[in-house]
Amino acid sequence: MSTISLSGVAGCLSSDETADSTGTDETSESSNSDADDDGILDANDDYPNDPDLSQKETKSDTRKIEEDEWIYYEFDFDGSGFIEYDFIVREGPEIDVIFMAESEYTYFTNESRFSYKSALSAFESAGTTVSGTVTEGSYRLILDNSNLGEASPPTNFSNDVVTVEFDLEIGR
C-alpha cells in the first residue's frame, strides 16, 4: 500500500493590457471581474462561475497495482469541494475505486464493514469517469486490486497485476 500526495500545479497568469487613446496602459475590465462574487478575480479563479470553488489541483499517472494491494489518495476539504476522476485499466482484471471518509479506512483495512460514498465510487470496473461534490472533511480515494469484501478469492492462482491510468481533479 502506498500513499500518493496530490500536489498543486502553479502557473503564471497575466492580465490583458491595452493602450487607450492617450497611450497609457489600462487593464481590461474582464480581468477585474468576479462573476461568481466569491472574492477571487476571474483571472485567478479556476472556477469563475462557481462561488464555492476557486482552486483546481490535478494529477495524472499510470500505476501498477499488485494483486491483494491498493493505493490511495488523501484529501482534506475545509469547506465544500469537487472531485472528478477518470480511470482505465490497461492490463489486468477490473478494480474497485472507493471514495470514503478517512474515519472508515481502518474498517476497510481490517476487512470489516465500511461506509463509502456510492455516487463517487466504482466497483468491478475497467474504467469510467466519476464526479461530484463533497462536504467538509477528510477523505480517501482507494484504487483497489484486492479481494477485500468479495465472497471468494480468484482461483486462477496467478498474480493478477493491474496497470491503471488515471486523471484526477480536485476543486476547493
Side-chain angles (χ1 to χ4, degrees):
M1 290 157 276
S2 62
T3 302
I4 302 172
S5 63
L6 182 67
S7 60
V9 178
C12 180
L13 299 174
S14 64
S15 62
D16 294 328
E17 294 185 8
T18 59
D20 66 12
S21 60
T22 61
T24 60
D25 286 341
E26 189 176 286
T27 304
S28 70
E29 189 174 317
S30 64
S31 64
N32 288 326
S33 66
D34 183 12
D36 58 7
D37 292 324
D38 65 356
I40 298 173
L41 296 179
D42 292 345
N44 297 324
D45 194 339
D46 290 328
Y47 301 93
N49 296 316
D50 189 334
D52 295 327
L53 304 174
S54 60
Q55 180 187 12
K56 181 185 342 182
E57 299 173 58
T58 60
K59 171 86 173 163
S60 295
D61 204 355
T62 300
R63 299 291 300 233
K64 290 190 179 289
I65 307 171
E66 297 285 329
E67 183 175 359
D68 298 327
E69 298 281 342
W70 61 86
I71 62 172
Y72 59 83
Y73 295 88
E74 296 177 278
F75 310 105
D76 290 308
F77 291 92
D78 295 333
S80 63
F82 172 79
I83 182 170
E84 178 175 289
Y85 63 87
D86 180 343
F87 74 96
I88 185 166
V89 173
R90 292 292 180 192
E91 187 176 327
E94 295 177 333
I95 62 171
D96 296 333
V97 181
I98 309 164
F99 189 83
M100 67 176 63
E102 175 66 33
S103 60
E104 293 295 315
Y105 183 69
T106 301
Y107 297 107
F108 171 80
T109 60
N110 290 334
E111 298 185 40
S112 299
R113 291 178 55 166
F114 60 90
S115 177
Y116 59 91
K117 309 291 184 189
S118 60
L120 296 173
S121 300
F123 290 91
E124 297 181 17
S125 179
T128 192
T129 300
V130 175
S131 65
T133 58
V134 295
T135 58
E136 179 179 349
S138 298
Y139 298 95
R140 288 198 189 203
L141 179 68
I142 301 168
L143 283 74
D144 180 22
N145 187 27
S146 73
N147 297 315
L148 296 180
E150 294 182 15
S152 60
T155 58
N156 63 3
F157 301 108
S158 68
N159 185 15
D160 292 323
V161 178
V162 168
T163 301
V164 61
E165 289 179 10
F166 58 91
D167 295 309
L168 178 61
E169 176 183 330
I170 298 295
R172 300 171 200 252

